[in-house]
Amino acid sequence: RFEEALCSDYRSSVDYESAVTAFETSGHIRRALQALPVEQRRSIELVYFSGFTMAETAQRLGQPLGSVKSRVRMGLSKLRVLLAAVA
């Protein structure tokens, strides 16, 4: 049957190992983000996950651009340490 063949082809084409690894990685990233101070986490979320520029992020947060840049830099540095500990 066509439907069975199609489902079989789909199941064999899915890379479950990669999907599980991606899921685990996203969990590690979420936990690491939660460990950051709120100001750093919020700045990183706006820049990297919402796609705002640093200037747009500063405007949205009502903070100086230099402060946002520093928070993103410090937050990314802390994320590297936290995620390296997991790896």
Side-chain angles (χ1 to χ4, degrees), residues 3 8 10 12 15 18-19 21 27 29-30 34 39-40 43 45 49 53 62 66 69 73-74 81 85-86:
E3 292 171 357
S8 175
Y10 175 76
S12 66
D15 183 356
S18 292
T21 300
I29 293 170
R30 273 194 301 278
Q34 289 301 315
E39 299 85 11
Q40 292 174 7
S43 296
E45 288 172 344
F49 300 114
T53 65
K69 288 181 177 183
R73 182 179 42 78
M74 288 185 299
V81 171
V86 174

Side-chain angles (χ1 to χ4, degrees), residues 11-12 14 29 48 54-55 65-66:
R11 278 188 295 253
S12 66
V14 174
I29 293 170
Y48 287 96
M54 296 266 192
L65 178 58

Side-chain angles (χ1 to χ4, degrees), residues 36-57:
L36 296 178
V38 174
E39 299 85 11
Q40 292 174 7
R41 181 177 64 243
R42 188 70 182 128
S43 296
I44 289 171
E45 288 172 344
L46 288 171
V47 171
Y48 287 96
F49 300 114
S50 296
F52 292 104
T53 65
M54 296 266 192
E56 291 168 334
T57 299

